[in-house]
Amino acid sequence: MTRNILFIMFDQLRWDYLSCYGHPHLHTPHIDRLAARGVRFDRAYIQSPICGSSRMSTYTGRYVHSHGASWNGIPLKVGEITMGDHLRKAGMGCWLVGKTHMRADAEGMARLGLEPDSLIGARVAECGFDVFERDDGMLPEGPDGAYDPDGAKTYNEWLRDKGYDSDNPWHDFANSGLDADGNVLSGWFLKNSPEAANIAEEDSETPYLTGRGIEFMQQAERPWCCHLSYIKPHWPYIVPEPYASMYGPEHVLPVVRSEAERQNAHPVLKAFMDTKIGQTFSRQDVREAVIPAYMGLIKQADDQMGRLFAWLEETGRDKDTVIVLTSDHGDFLGDHWMGEKTFFHDTSTRVPLIIFDPSPEADATRGTVCDALVESIDLAPTFVEIAGGTVANHILEGESLIPILRGERAGTLRDYVICEYDYSGSPLAKLLGVSVRDAVMFMIADARWKLIHCEGGYRPLLFDLENDPQELVDLGESDAHGEVIAAMYDKLFQWARRPSQRTTRSEAQLIEMRGKSGRRGIVLGVYDENDTPLDLTVKYRGRTARPWQEIVKPKE
């Protein structure tokens, strides 16, 4: 049967803020039901703790070290092959509804003569997707202009058509409250997070994108992959009623941090703790203002999943559609004295991943939980296999999860996961006095240990995930763990030595090439023609020629 793929991604959704992953107050029955019908992966990791580079890894199936788009706004190289390229080769369309955070390689496109409005140019400029609607979800504005002038572009037009009269209704209505005098209470200021967004709930961002996803599927030609990519629960942290009133400070979980953790912090980690957002989220009043709104955004997202899944079932599309639900990274929310997502604790790097495969072959694994080490780059080869294509292992660095979904194997073939962060364009690099070359970090984690390496001559960080699952005690200076640190570095070096840039020849082609040069006339190291198979030298034996002196006339 021809399969479709509904690839749902939320932005900044923590893995532990769903009830199927154990949150005690935030009940997400619709996502839980999806997990009950499919496989819930308990140790899924992203490849970079920031939107742009994480998504580029997911969309290319390649590590950040390979694709090079290592921070927000850094273009994906024009030659990188994406999920859409692989799927179209297998006969499946690949469409975007929502966010990618992709920046096009305009210089590379111009060099190759690719016009942005051509079919190929448009796909290259949109991370390999055909675009039903791109909505990167934000239109913040400052004294130097907008962060992304095209942010929320179509959504803003839609809001204005509905009567939300403003030059930026995304901000003034969808992401701000309103006081009694009609003053806009901006969602950018965290004190306003408890306010209800001044918008009808059905007109807010998450219901809007759900509707657009349904509209795409109604008219799509099969087989298709639809990347339904939500903006929330990413900041600004504000949500309309009834969700604004659902949760309060009493639902905020105790913060995960310790005073010793802060006092003994590695210098790079300490710099992240000391940022403005780290200092702000270290305050309990800020957490009590923000986290209930964050929970409300997730509750709204779950209700929209109920709407979406009900439509799939009513139309029968659930019977031929693989559903994948995940996030691009988490959110510290004050844990470990930090806000945002840009460090390597599980709070940020571990994400929810649920896959429902309607095929009978997956019946044996329904409702199961897999604790294998999984990476976001595994999704692209999984999708290619669903589409019936051949996985290009010399390009795609992840591995297909189909054997796990169908009960053929309990885990992945890897014994570690990798995450990377490049902070060379961040004010932190200047604060630490670190060069552009050295402002990079790598995380490697196996079933028990997590090691973090910071370039620039710093010592490593080490966490024992078995005995310290909250990652509060850094063992990077512990002499007793020297062998563990060395073993983790060996794994990191093994990963760094992989031939990730050899993407123009497959393993099978390379094996086939062995010895081919001999059959094309290259004869090296042969002293006598009888020392090598005679059929290889047939072009060099039994030949005659005249002496050159008989050919070249002497000069007069």
Side-chain angles (χ1 to χ4, degrees):
M1 179 187 292
T2 301
R3 300 275 176 224
N4 303 309
I5 302 169
L6 177 56
F7 173 28
I8 301 165
M9 179 179 281
F10 292 100
D11 197 319
Q12 210 150 311
L13 171 61
R14 274 179 60 148
W15 70 276
D16 55 351
Y17 268 63
L18 299 172
S19 47
C20 58
Y21 280 94
H23 198 286
H25 308 306
L26 182 50
H27 300 299
T28 51
H30 303 294
I31 295 175
D32 293 0
R33 180 169 171 262
L34 184 71
R37 299 171 66 202
V39 176
R40 178 169 67 80
F41 292 88
D42 201 39
R43 296 202 64 189
Y45 285 88
I46 54 167
Q47 273 50 81
S48 186
I50 193 168
C51 299
S53 49
S54 172
R55 288 166 178 271
M56 294 312 100
S57 283
T58 303
Y59 302 154
T60 62
R62 290 165 59 72
Y63 292 106
V64 177
H65 214 53
S66 302
H67 63 66
S70 58
W71 210 72
N72 289 346
I74 295 181
L76 183 69
K77 296 191 297 287
V78 72
E80 283 293 327
I81 300 172
T82 64
M83 180 186 292
D85 298 314
H86 292 288
L87 291 179
R88 278 188 291 272
K89 186 177 180 180
M92 176 179 279
C94 190
W95 292 82
L96 169 68
V97 182
K99 177 176 181 174
T100 62
H101 217 111
M102 189 264 188
R103 184 69 60 86
D105 180 7
E107 288 187 15
M109 292 177 67
R111 187 180 72 251
L112 297 175
L114 293 175
E115 296 294 336
D117 57 354
S118 67
L119 178 61
I120 295 173
R123 285 172 174 168
V124 169
E126 294 291 354
C127 206
F129 293 102
D130 288 324
V131 176
F132 186 76
E133 179 171 338
R134 176 169 173 174
D135 182 359
D136 275 6
M138 292 201 307
L139 187 55
E141 298 174 292
D144 292 336
Y147 173 78
D148 177 5
D150 291 328
K153 189 173 183 179
T154 306
Y155 179 58
N156 259 345
E157 292 172 359
W158 183 82
L159 287 178
R160 279 190 286 267
D161 287 344
K162 296 202 75 163
Y164 293 94
D165 187 22
S166 166
D167 62 343
N168 188 357
W170 170 85
H171 171 265
D172 293 348
F173 293 96
N175 284 280
S176 293
L178 195 70
D179 71 10
D181 297 322
N183 298 305
V184 171
L185 304 174
S186 176
W188 287 114
F189 305 123
L190 300 179
K191 68 177 184 179
N192 293 327
S193 293
E195 300 289 336
N198 182 33
I199 193 168
E201 190 273 329
E202 63 269 20
D203 295 337
S204 58
E205 290 168 281
T206 301
Y208 170 78
L209 274 179
T210 301
R212 293 295 284 153
I214 290 172
E215 287 172 24
F216 166 78
M217 290 184 284
Q218 285 173 327
Q219 56 82 56
E221 294 184 10
R222 303 180 185 190
W224 46 260
C225 172
C226 173
H227 181 35
L228 181 53
S229 184
Y230 288 93
I231 296 135
K232 297 298 186 181
H234 190 283
W235 40 257
Y237 304 102
I238 192 165
V239 66
E241 291 291 10
Y243 303 99
S245 301
M246 283 188 180
Y247 305 100
E250 68 275 18
H251 299 113
V252 175
L253 298 180
V255 68
V256 178
R257 67 185 184 210
S258 73
E259 190 60 38
E261 173 190 29
R262 181 166 64 169
Q263 295 303 322
N264 303 324
H266 183 284
V268 177
L269 175 56
K270 183 69 162 57
F272 279 87
M273 291 176 172
D274 288 345
T275 61
K276 177 68 174 178
I277 197 162
Q279 294 174 357
T280 300
F281 270 87
S282 293
R283 291 167 42 187
Q284 187 61 17
D285 63 323
V286 172
R287 296 183 74 248
E288 290 181 355
V290 168
I291 293 178
Y294 180 76
M295 294 171 67
L297 288 165
I298 296 169
K299 182 64 174 177
Q300 181 188 38
D302 183 70
D303 284 347
Q304 288 301 308
M305 291 303 95
R307 172 190 171 195
L308 181 64
F309 299 156
W311 180 85
L312 286 166
E313 291 169 19
E314 288 164 7
T315 58
R317 284 175 170 85
D318 63 315
K319 295 179 175 59
D320 62 5
T321 301
V322 175
I323 303 173
V324 178
L325 187 148
T326 191
S327 175
D328 61 349
H329 52 72
D331 190 327
F332 276 100
L333 296 173
D335 288 350
H336 306 289
W337 307 95
M338 286 185 282
E340 274 284 78
K341 57 264 186 178
T342 49
F343 211 77
F344 293 123
H345 297 78
D346 275 11
T347 309
S348 171
T349 59
R350 187 172 166 187
V351 291
L353 175 61
I354 300 167
I355 303 179
F356 162 69
D357 178 357
S359 66
E361 294 89 342
D363 286 348
T365 63
R366 301 204 187 284
T368 61
V369 178
C370 177
D371 64 356
L373 292 170
V374 169
E375 295 180 313
S376 293
I377 57 172
D378 294 339
L379 294 179
T382 302
F383 294 177
V384 171
E385 192 166 339
I386 291 168
T390 300
V391 175
N393 289 324
H394 59 300
I395 301 170
L396 295 168
E397 297 189 275
E399 57 180 274
S400 172
L401 301 176
I402 293 295
I404 297 175
L405 296 174
R406 300 187 177 174
E408 299 164 7
R409 201 168 64 225
T412 51
L413 301 177
R414 65 172 60 89
D415 67 349
Y416 58 78
V417 293
I418 295 287
C419 194
E420 307 167 65
Y421 186 59
D422 172 358
Y423 63 100
S424 58
S426 162
L428 278 180
K430 183 178 180 180
L431 180 69
L432 287 165
V434 178
S435 70
V436 168
R437 170 62 185 82
D438 287 340
V440 292
M441 304 185 290
F442 300 87
M443 179 203 92
I444 181 165
D446 61 17
R448 177 170 179 180
W449 303 100
K450 178 185 289 187
L451 180 133
I452 298 167
H453 168 76
C454 305
E455 284 287 286
Y458 296 102
R459 69 165 177 86
L461 294 87
L462 180 72
F463 295 103
D464 183 344
L465 302 176
E466 184 176 298
N467 294 308
D468 177 28
Q470 293 186 323
E471 301 172 276
L472 293 171
V473 181
D474 174 14
L475 302 170
E477 289 185 300
S478 167
D479 292 338
H481 293 85
E483 290 186 7
V484 173
I485 291 171
M488 294 301 286
Y489 265 118
D490 283 344
K491 292 181 179 181
L492 182 60
F493 295 152
Q494 178 191 52
W495 170 80
R497 294 193 302 268
R498 74 203 186 284
S500 63
Q501 301 304 311
R502 192 182 60 211
T503 58
T504 56
R505 285 289 181 270
S506 69
E507 183 176 314
Q509 287 172 319
L510 291 170
I511 292 171
E512 186 183 355
M513 285 169 60
R514 297 174 182 178
K516 260 194 168 184
S517 60
R519 300 199 63 82
R520 292 176 181 248
I522 301 294
V523 181
L524 298 176
V526 177
Y527 177 72
D528 184 288
E529 62 263 36
N530 295 307
D531 293 342
T532 192
L534 294 179
D535 65 319
L536 297 182
T537 59
V538 65
K539 296 289 187 179
Y540 303 139
R541 292 180 287 104
R543 302 174 74 89
T544 60
R546 293 162 57 197
W548 68 268
Q549 294 89 343
E550 296 179 9
I551 299 170
V552 179
K553 294 179 181 181
K555 294 181 180 179
E556 295 181 359

